[in-house]
Amino acid sequence: MLLNFARHKFFWLLDSLKGGRIKNQLKEIKLGIEQPNSEQAKHIKEVHLKDLINHAIKTTSFYKAFSETTPLSDFPVIRKTIIQDNFEKFQSSAFIDKENFKVSTSGSTGIPFFLFQNQNKRNRNHADAVYFYDQSNFKIGNRLYELEVWRNHNKKGNLKSWLQNIVQFDISRLTAPRIEEFLEILKTDKQSKTILGFASALEMIAQYLERKNLFYENLKITSIIANSEYLNPYTKTTLGKHLNTAILSRYSSEEIGIIAQQTLNAPNSFIINHASYQVELLSLDKDLPAKPGEFGRIVITDLFNYAMPIIRYDTGDIAKFGEGKNGAIVFTQIDGRKMDIIYDSKGNMLSSFVVYTKFYKYYHLLKQYQFIQQGEKEYEVKLNLQDSTFQFEDELVVDIKSDFGDDAIVTIAYVDEIPALSSGKRRKVINRYKQSQ
């Protein structure tokens, strides 16, 4: 489409007029992600890490007690609460009076959180996004559908949306008529298009398509990228089958940026953004490296935020490391928040994936579900039904006990709605037992 080609050219012309802020970083990003073990990539990263640490020590009161020779492993692991309780101590004196950008999360962990980023960090985030979009068969200027909860604080204006060729589709209440409206928009839009949206919204669309037995072959969807939440195998497989496209998952956060993403060349593992972050995987209960093949806490050092240097930041999420192409470390699995890890009746940790598999066979009967560990052996299941009856309660309880223990106490509660968080995200698995300890 000629107009999209013009948009593409205009984007890079504008970047060129600003000194190539984005384009100049892409070559380094490509090298750092695709060949992280090359001598050149390792040298570039070492320089970035050293410069960041030196800057943090010299310009922030939180890190001033450390030495430039202090190894990264000797820096403290920090969390959102530490940053918020010591906010001014994390701010760099060299950037306080400069133009910085406030970024925030809606507080899915119960902790509203924000920090500042400097201009170069913003540029780096944009360059990272361009790289990973390219790996998803999306080109700047083409149509992008963003499925999110759109409000005044985050919604783009009409002109900006048109210039960027973005359609902002609100998913506050993703009812069947609303899904039908979305599908109708996709059918009438003849452009090549990519969809970026909450995993829970994509799951609801997948359920609708499966329930109605709808298949679309030629919607010109180049790929669909799930963000903000865990993408379960059901959604990845079902949505891909019904819309005839690749479904990819992105691991990112508003306060950090894109940390890892599945790509068309690696659709089942998460390619880590080694170029922009130092990524560690630490044990669940101590600040030491997780053992190979075990789940660990994702800990990030942001190499580019100089306004508020973030060193060894515990994201609250857990994952497993594996090896990808060229010996690069990848995430083979990302399993959501540490605070929502669940345990069987004997205290053994279980992946939240175990929970999701219990409900796949009932998706055609459900609008929503939620699994809550209320106590050591107590589990509550909330079901929001399509119709008024659910005839498989005993079967579901037996299935849950097969993994959680014969002595597990499972209760089923029927509800009219399972509210989303203020961000629009939906927590399917909650552990209230461990939170209370």
Side-chain angles (χ1 to χ4, degrees), residues 34-51:
E34 297 178 7
Q35 301 178 55
N37 295 323
S38 69
E39 290 303 316
Q40 185 182 4
K42 287 193 290 187
H43 173 72
I44 291 172
K45 190 168 185 178
E46 286 170 5
V47 171
H48 282 316
L49 181 59
K50 181 179 178 181
D51 288 348

Side-chain angles (χ1 to χ4, degrees), residues 45 48-53 56 63 71-73 75-78 121 256 259 273-282 298-305 308-315:
K45 190 168 185 178
H48 282 316
L49 181 59
K50 181 179 178 181
D51 288 348
L52 175 82
I53 289 175
Y63 291 112
L72 182 65
S73 58
F75 279 81
V77 175
I78 58 174
K121 166 61 179 173
I256 298 292
I259 300 166
N273 188 353
H274 294 290
S276 299
Y277 307 100
Q278 178 67 40
V279 180
E280 299 176 79
L281 210 58
L282 301 185
I298 301 174
V299 174
I300 303 294
T301 296
D302 188 336
L303 302 177
F304 287 87
N305 192 357
M308 289 188 71
I310 302 300
I311 300 173
R312 305 194 84 197
Y313 170 63
D314 187 334
T315 66

Side-chain angles (χ1 to χ4, degrees), residues 143-161:
R143 177 61 56 85
L144 178 66
Y145 283 83
E146 293 188 348
L147 278 57
E148 199 175 315
V149 175
W150 294 110
R151 296 293 182 265
N152 289 334
H153 73 279
N154 67 342
K155 191 171 184 179
K156 297 180 176 72
N158 291 335
L159 178 59
K160 188 173 183 180
S161 295

Side-chain angles (χ1 to χ4, degrees), residues 45-104:
K45 190 168 185 178
E46 286 170 5
V47 171
H48 282 316
L49 181 59
K50 181 179 178 181
D51 288 348
L52 175 82
I53 289 175
N54 290 348
H55 170 77
I57 291 168
K58 291 175 181 177
T59 68
T60 72
S61 57
F62 187 85
Y63 291 112
K64 68 179 181 181
F66 294 90
S67 164
E68 295 178 0
T69 59
T70 303
L72 182 65
S73 58
D74 285 354
F75 279 81
V77 175
I78 58 174
R79 296 170 178 80
K80 289 181 179 181
T81 50
I82 294 175
I83 296 174
Q84 294 299 73
D85 292 345
N86 301 274
F87 193 81
E88 293 182 356
K89 293 182 178 180
F90 280 93
Q91 288 185 279
S92 168
S93 59
F95 281 82
I96 283 182
D97 296 327
K98 295 186 178 180
E99 182 184 8
N100 297 312
F101 301 86
K102 183 179 179 180
V103 291
S104 60

Side-chain angles (χ1 to χ4, degrees), residues 326-371:
N326 300 324
I329 295 174
V330 300
F331 289 134
T332 57
Q333 190 174 346
I334 298 175
D335 209 63
R337 307 202 65 79
K338 180 177 181 288
M339 65 186 291
D340 289 333
I341 294 171
I342 49 174
Y343 300 83
D344 67 15
S345 61
K346 301 295 188 294
N348 301 307
M349 188 186 90
L350 294 178
S351 167
S352 56
F353 175 74
V354 173
V355 173
Y356 302 135
T357 61
K358 304 299 179 187
F359 296 91
Y360 291 162
K361 68 177 77 171
Y362 309 118
Y363 267 17
H364 63 292
L365 303 172
L366 304 176
K367 292 180 181 178
Q368 301 165 301
Y369 71 88
Q370 192 173 66
F371 185 95

